[in-house]
Amino acid sequence: MDDRKTPLLDELEKGDWPSFVTEIKRAAAKNKSAADLLAQLESSYEENIGHWKHGGIVGVKGYGGGVVGRYSDEPEKFPHIKEFHTIRVNQPAGFFYTTKKLRQLADIWDKYGSGLYNLHGSTGDCILLGTTTENLQPCVDELADIGFDLGGSGGALRTLSCCVGAARCEKACIDSMQIIHDLTLHYQDAIHRPAWPYKFKIKVSACPNDCAAASARSDLAIIGIWRDAIRIDNEAVRAAVDNGFDIFNRVIRKCPSEALLWDTEKKELTVCAEDCVHCMNCINMMPKAISIGREQGAALMIGGKAPVVKGAMLGWVLVPFIKLEPPYTELKEIIDKITDWWADHGKNRERVSELIVRMGLANFLEAVGLKPLPQMVHEPRSNPYIFWNAEEVEKRG
Amino acid sequence: MSLVQVKGTQVELDEDGFLVDPEDWSEEMAAYFATVEEVADLTDNHWKVINYLRDYFKKFGVAPMIRKLCKDTGFSLKEIYELFPSGPAKGACKLAGLPKPTGCV
């Protein structure tokens, strides 16, 4: 560690939360680029301005993405972060690692990079933070030797991610980890070689709790669900209630569709399956007594994205229920139809939801071969500007 | 920024090795970039892509979308990567002397 002073950053070593400044200092003790990063960050804090140049196009042979190029705008002052590129490494599904794998990864990154990571980037990738152009290819080659490939960047299918699903969670309706593993292998070309108008993200949450935040942060959200009734173990319900659990205020009253019935006399809970909207509240409140139904599958939601350009969107229902079993043929067909239509019609940097808004949901549904369903809308349109196809008008007179 | 000497002329490149001034482009420049981007020989197929990109850029002031490039040249994305191992953006656009692609890469 050199003797440069970082009074502003030092403030952020105080307090109870683990400090990222301490992390960078630890890396800086054995790595010059981490030391320069710390120094540049201090000057950014002083001046309230970022010190990275605009853009950067670097990569490795055969890939069109996976590496984000970055250059310091003061290379003379901070020579070791003159080039400070980020490598996105596809994470194992559900972020499960062995210590052996992490040690192998760290050995490679100590050799070629700054020693700094982001575990994990918000899309899910294991982010290796800061290396030179020269080191990219050998680093990625060695990563491949230990079984890690690059993730996605640019106008491509981005790295898929999921919740821990069936590995640790009794609420999992689908095997989210298996699904993203399968899709990741199936769509290698789409991930590594950007060919689309803009990015496309897929995330899988194994139940409507949506622990992968799929509906907000992926263009195609796959969310586990069941279509029969929740299962209620009334003995366990009684045990909880006898133990002082306030079932009325925490469960019955909170049911958004009033699907639950509580018989105070018999201390018996029943559900009207037709009314249940799968919100998860009762299951979350009484996980030992209430569980997901037996007929499991997923709902597909389309269109989640951040604000640029036409405003932030949450995914909306595209397929209310689909069975998901390997090799997920039906799911892959839907994905292919969506991305083909979008790639054919999308403008440069137009997300799929923006294209749907521009061209209309009806055109989109026709292109991907899905029927319009009431579940797709929150409410019917409130204006009368309805488009009719010429044939429909002739047919109906 | 860096300067390279190509056939007696000095040309300025940015950090990523793209031309700073697209006017500096010449066939010799393309040949120089080929060595950097691991293109062994510049074949007719390479020139077909390079010329297409240059024409498109001259006409519209932007690089074409990748799907358009493939459709108009008749090369699949796989063939483009066989021609330009670092891909259409970092490889082909650089050889064609187009400005560096920007955005969320």
Side-chain angles (χ1 to χ4, degrees), chain A residues 286-317:
Chain A
M286 310 185 80
K288 286 180 180 166
I290 309 177
S291 47
I292 57 171
R294 280 202 177 81
E295 202 183 327
Q296 299 157 4
L300 304 184
M301 297 171 85
I302 186 87
K305 68 180 251 322
V308 176
V309 175
K310 289 180 182 165
M313 292 189 208
L314 285 173
W316 68 90
V317 174

Side-chain angles (χ1 to χ4, degrees), chain B residues 3-68:
Chain B
L3 293 168
V4 286
Q5 199 80 19
V6 176
K7 291 267 158 126
T9 356
Q10 223 173 34
V11 178
E12 198 182 359
L13 304 180
D14 70 10
E15 301 90 344
D16 292 315
F18 281 77
L19 281 179
V20 171
D21 182 0
E23 293 293 312
D24 284 339
W25 189 85
S26 63
E27 294 196 357
E28 287 77 26
M29 257 341 278
Y32 162 76
F33 285 137
T35 62
V36 188
E37 295 300 331
E38 303 186 53
V39 177
D41 290 303
L42 280 173
T43 63
D44 288 350
N45 284 346
H46 288 98
W47 283 111
K48 190 175 168 188
V49 174
I50 292 172
N51 290 329
Y52 168 77
L53 286 172
R54 290 193 61 75
D55 289 344
Y56 190 98
F57 183 71
K58 230 177 270 172
K59 212 163 155 189
F60 300 104
V62 290
M65 281 164 67
I66 289 170
R67 205 165 169 101
K68 178 119 183 84

Side-chain angles (χ1 to χ4, degrees), chain A residues 303-329:
Chain A
K305 68 180 251 322
V308 176
V309 175
K310 289 180 182 165
M313 292 189 208
L314 285 173
W316 68 90
V317 174
L318 181 66
V319 177
F321 188 85
I322 180 175
K323 278 271 176 197
L324 288 183
E325 304 288 345
Y328 312 110
T329 315

Side-chain angles (χ1 to χ4, degrees), chain A residues 224-262:
Chain A
I225 204 149
W226 62 95
R227 63 175 171 187
D228 49 354
I230 53 169
R231 285 174 282 163
I232 300 170
D233 174 354
N234 265 308
E235 256 173 57
V237 171
R238 273 187 287 275
V241 172
D242 291 342
N243 215 11
F245 179 76
D246 183 358
I247 192 169
F248 180 75
N249 281 311
R250 293 184 67 187
V251 178
I252 316 294
R253 209 162 62 84
K254 291 285 156 87
C255 178
S257 51
E258 299 175 353
L260 292 170
L261 203 71
W262 175 237

Side-chain angles (χ1 to χ4, degrees), chain A residues 141-169:
Chain A
D141 289 346
E142 286 194 27
L143 288 170
D145 291 340
I146 61 161
F148 283 107
D149 198 357
L150 293 184
S153 72
L157 178 62
R158 298 298 184 82
T159 307
L160 295 90
S161 73
C162 66
C163 66
V164 294
R168 288 184 61 91
C169 183

Side-chain angles (χ1 to χ4, degrees), chain A residues 194-361:
Chain A
W196 291 336
Y198 207 4
K199 62 184 94 171
F200 191 86
K201 299 187 180 186
I202 299 177
K203 290 192 198 297
V204 185
S205 288
C207 85
N209 281 330
D210 198 4
C211 293
S215 60
R217 316 201 44 169
S218 63
D219 298 86
L220 183 71
I222 301 169
I223 297 188
I225 204 149
W226 62 95
R227 63 175 171 187
D228 49 354
I230 53 169
R231 285 174 282 163
I232 300 170
D233 174 354
N234 265 308
E235 256 173 57
V237 171
R238 273 187 287 275
V241 172
D242 291 342
N243 215 11
F245 179 76
D246 183 358
I247 192 169
F248 180 75
N249 281 311
R250 293 184 67 187
V251 178
I252 316 294
R253 209 162 62 84
K254 291 285 156 87
C255 178
S257 51
E258 299 175 353
L260 292 170
L261 203 71
W262 175 237
D263 187 325
T264 324
E265 294 288 297
K266 287 195 253 170
K267 288 192 180 169
E268 192 174 86
L269 186 68
T270 45
V271 64
C272 174
E274 291 78 11
D275 288 342
C276 172
V277 291
H278 313 90
C279 79
M280 299 299 292
N281 181 63
C282 58
I283 299 176
N284 291 340
M285 286 296 139
M286 310 185 80
K288 286 180 180 166
I290 309 177
S291 47
I292 57 171
R294 280 202 177 81
E295 202 183 327
Q296 299 157 4
L300 304 184
M301 297 171 85
I302 186 87
K305 68 180 251 322
V308 176
V309 175
K310 289 180 182 165
M313 292 189 208
L314 285 173
W316 68 90
V317 174
L318 181 66
V319 177
F321 188 85
I322 180 175
K323 278 271 176 197
L324 288 183
E325 304 288 345
Y328 312 110
T329 315
E330 200 187 340
L331 174 64
K332 286 170 187 164
E333 278 169 9
I334 293 175
I335 295 172
D336 290 342
K337 280 181 188 160
I338 293 170
T339 53
D340 273 353
W341 177 76
W342 170 53
D344 275 342
H345 300 282
K347 292 181 186 172
N348 198 12
R349 304 233 174 101
E350 185 173 41
R351 293 286 282 269
V352 72
S353 50
E354 294 174 334
L355 178 64
I356 295 171
V357 168
R358 179 162 67 85
M359 293 191 60
L361 185 60

